[in-house]
Amino acid sequence: PADTVRSPQELRLTAIAAAQGITRDRLHALNPTLCSDRVPAYHALLMPRGERKRFEAMADSVQRLQQWLAETERKANEPGEDVVAKGPDGREAIYYRVRSGDYLGRIAQRFNVKVTQLKSWNRMKGDHIDV
């Protein structure tokens, strides 16, 4: 049992999940036809039962989170320094743009973290990364 919602604009599962207090994985499990984080405009998005009214009430929050995500991505795609920002959950996040010649071990070493952490944070199953 689930509720169906639609939006006249494209949405991001990440923003919806953060605003609703639902995991992104749960939303994706309810909507397995979505191949990315993006939900097309007017797409029938399934939400856990009882979440429709909350979704409608949180529309402004979802929009603010989406704007924040877009701005952070824009900054991360600019040449130069890595972007350090507060994530939607308030934790500090570093956005790094993969460069030619990079591999997970080098990136992990640069930020003093483990390869397994990078893979977990980025929901990666394999070791392959693309520039």
Side-chain angles (χ1 to χ4, degrees):
D3 290 343
T4 302
V5 297
R6 295 180 191 268
S7 172
Q9 58 225 66
E10 179 180 88
L11 297 175
R12 309 251 328 242
L13 283 181
T14 305
I16 297 166
Q20 295 287 119
I22 301 169
T23 66
R24 185 184 173 285
D25 289 341
R26 183 163 182 213
L27 283 176
H28 194 267
L30 287 168
N31 298 277
T33 59
L34 295 175
C35 298
S36 71
D37 192 50
R38 302 196 184 277
V39 180
Y42 297 102
H43 179 80
L45 178 70
L46 295 177
M47 301 283 290
R49 182 167 274 337
E51 291 291 324
R52 181 185 183 136
K53 288 187 183 210
R54 185 170 180 186
F55 173 82
E56 292 167 354
M58 300 295 287
D60 289 347
S61 295
V62 171
Q63 290 305 315
R64 281 193 302 276
L65 285 167
Q66 289 195 159
Q67 289 170 348
W68 178 87
L69 287 168
E71 179 66 18
T72 302
E73 285 176 355
R74 184 189 62 72
K75 287 179 184 176
N77 287 324
E78 291 176 355
E81 296 299 313
D82 305 323
V83 176
V84 178
K86 293 282 185 189
D89 60 1
R91 293 185 299 174
E92 185 176 274
I94 298 173
Y95 292 84
Y96 173 77
R97 184 175 186 185
V98 176
R99 294 160 178 94
S100 181
D102 276 346
Y103 53 93
L104 289 177
R106 178 181 287 168
I107 297 169
Q109 191 174 35
R110 175 183 177 142
F111 294 102
N112 197 29
V113 297
K114 295 179 182 178
V115 170
T116 54
Q117 290 173 304
L118 285 177
K119 290 172 68 172
S120 172
W121 296 330
N122 291 283
R123 295 182 178 91
M124 297 173 66
K125 292 182 179 160
D127 294 330
H128 178 77
I129 57 174
D130 291 314
V131 176

